[in-house]
Amino acid sequence: MYRLLRILEQFDPERASNTLSSDVIGCVVPRGRIVRGYVYAGVNKEIPPPSSATHSYHGLGPESRKTLPSSAKRSIAQYSPKPQRKNQTKSPAEYREQRRLKQERYRRKQTQREHDLAKVVKRLRQEVPLLQMQHMRMVFGVKLMLEAVVTEYFQLFRHGIWFSNMDTPCHLKAKAQQQLVFLRTAMSNDVILGGLKGVDALVEQWRRYCTYFDNVELNLGVVDIRSNIAWANATLSVTVTKTTLDQVFPHLLEGEQDKLILRSRLLGQLLVLPCRICFEWDEKSKRVVRLDKMLDFFTPLQHLLPCFDFVATVMEKALITLECIISDDGSD
């Protein structure tokens, strides 16, 4: 009470002296017990509970409180007791359920984040070949050189051509697109390949080699560049499989005894084939206009088979030419 009086005197001394008069003090009685809304101050005295009329003495009602300065209201609110929140205890089952829900939300967020990151990685991997194509155009478009094309060709096709479909991993798809971009950039659209022509024909020949043989590996040797022609000495390593006999040497599948011996000798053998590849360069278009290849099957077969007659029998009706062209019926 005295604290409130000091606060009121600080802001409005005249009103504070008139507000807390003896009439207000006279209404103050000792605290008693409360029974059914009545306060028992003595033995036979009953004082009704305070009402809105009780607080209207000398301007202390709700209307007079509105006229107090804002600083006085803040002081009263600062020193007035604050209601305490009732502690609500939870059962162990409720705590476990709450923790379970939090963990479930956390796992959902983590799963969604991993899913989003996987999408970003997939999109970036798909953009790699396009960026490499732009890089090649920037580099090759200004100073494309025959030596750089030869080196890049052997690096990209060292293990043959890569295939891509719906189930192919992203890194293999990127390699396949990189190979195709290189061929479209460095080779002429109607590049000559022996009896064939075009980039699509070159891709098809690589597809047949990688499908009919196993463990395809192309290794570059010495490169001899003269004017606009480059000769590259290399070796092509392949493993003979059942598909090789079906698609390249179908005449060995006949039931003769000699051919049965040849099939058993060839199946599963690793052949290291010497080859020479000629790159003809067009200075005006800055592209390769002719790609000739010569593949030597006779030398490794002579080391594998006992006599030259067997070598002649193997290569007599083989569906492959000296220019390394694998055909379907031997007519190419």
Side-chain angles (χ1 to χ4, degrees):
M1 180 66 69
Y2 291 105
R3 183 180 300 173
L4 180 60
L5 182 60
R6 286 197 300 270
I7 294 173
L8 294 178
E9 288 178 352
Q10 182 180 358
F11 296 98
D12 196 353
E14 295 180 359
R15 187 169 184 176
S17 60
N18 297 329
T19 301
L20 299 178
S21 61
S22 59
D23 297 335
V24 178
I25 302 300
C27 294
V28 178
V29 295
R31 180 179 297 178
R33 58 191 181 91
I34 300 175
V35 178
R36 294 183 180 180
Y38 290 89
V39 179
Y40 289 84
V43 179
N44 296 323
K45 294 182 180 180
E46 293 183 1
I47 300 176
S51 61
S52 60
T54 308
H55 296 282
S56 61
Y57 291 104
H58 302 283
L60 285 179
E63 297 180 356
S64 62
R65 291 179 183 177
K66 295 180 181 179
T67 60
L68 292 177
S70 59
S71 57
K73 293 180 180 180
R74 287 195 299 268
S75 300
I76 294 173
Q78 180 179 0
Y79 292 102
S80 60
K82 297 181 180 180
Q84 297 182 357
R85 298 179 61 182
K86 186 177 180 180
N87 295 330
Q88 297 180 357
T89 58
K90 297 182 180 180
S91 62
E94 292 177 343
Y95 278 113
R96 286 195 298 269
E97 180 66 16
Q98 185 178 4
R99 288 194 297 268
R100 187 188 66 81
L101 294 176
K102 289 182 179 180
Q103 292 176 358
E104 185 177 354
R105 287 195 299 268
Y106 175 77
R107 286 193 293 267
R108 284 200 302 266
K109 290 181 180 179
Q110 289 295 105
T111 304
Q112 184 63 32
R113 184 179 180 184
E114 293 177 359
H115 184 66
D116 295 340
L117 289 177
K119 285 185 177 180
V120 172
V121 171
K122 183 178 180 180
R123 178 176 56 81
L124 292 177
R125 286 178 175 174
Q126 291 176 353
E127 292 178 357
V128 168
L130 300 178
L131 296 176
Q132 290 176 344
M133 180 179 63
Q134 295 177 1
H135 172 72
M136 288 181 180
R137 287 179 178 177
M138 293 174 62
V139 175
F140 293 163
V142 179
K143 51 179 181 179
L144 187 60
M145 300 176 60
L146 178 57
E147 184 179 1
V149 171
V150 174
T151 304
E152 189 73 14
Y153 179 83
F154 279 90
Q155 288 179 353
L156 291 177
F157 293 90
R158 180 176 181 180
H159 298 285
I161 197 169
W162 298 96
F163 306 101
S164 61
N165 50 41
M166 296 298 296
D167 299 330
T168 305
C170 293
H171 67 283
L172 295 182
K173 287 184 179 180
K175 289 183 178 180
Q177 293 180 5
Q178 185 179 4
Q179 290 177 337
L180 186 59
V181 166
F182 170 79
L183 293 179
R184 299 292 184 187
T185 305
M187 303 288 174
S188 176
N189 294 331
D190 54 352
V191 58
I192 299 175
L193 310 167
L196 304 178
K197 183 182 293 187
V199 175
D200 294 336
L202 178 59
V203 173
E204 175 62 21
Q205 285 299 311
W206 269 116
R207 186 196 66 81
R208 294 185 181 184
Y209 270 94
C210 295
T211 304
Y212 300 162
F213 295 92
D214 276 352
N215 304 322
V216 177
E217 184 175 355
L218 181 65
N219 293 311
L220 177 62
V222 180
V223 179
D224 183 16
I225 300 178
R226 297 181 181 179
S227 184
N228 293 331
I229 296 178
W231 284 95
N233 296 320
T235 57
L236 179 64
S237 301
V238 294
T239 300
V240 180
T241 63
K242 182 64 168 58
T243 307
T244 307
L245 299 178
D246 294 338
Q247 301 295 333
V248 182
F249 307 106
H251 60 287
L252 299 180
L253 299 178
E254 299 175 1
E256 299 179 5
Q257 185 66 25
D258 294 341
K259 294 183 179 180
L260 178 61
I261 296 175
L262 293 177
R263 290 199 302 269
S264 61
R265 287 288 187 93
L266 291 176
L267 192 61
Q269 293 295 327
L270 176 64
L271 303 179
V272 181
L273 310 174
C275 65
R276 283 172 59 85
I277 304 177
C278 177
F279 297 83
E280 185 176 345
W281 182 255
D282 182 23
E283 191 65 30
K284 183 177 180 180
S285 62
K286 300 292 184 180
R287 294 189 178 188
V288 176
V289 295
R290 189 179 188 90
L291 187 65
D292 292 330
K293 294 183 290 184
M294 292 180 292
L295 194 61
D296 183 10
F297 268 92
F298 290 94
T299 301
L301 289 178
Q302 285 179 355
H303 296 288
L304 182 63
L305 301 177
C307 63
F308 186 78
D309 292 338
F310 285 169
V311 176
T313 302
V314 171
M315 298 301 300
E316 181 181 5
K317 296 181 180 180
L319 300 182
I320 188 169
T321 65
L322 292 177
E323 293 83 10
C324 309
I325 303 299
I326 299 178
S327 60
D328 294 329
D329 53 2
S331 60
D332 292 344

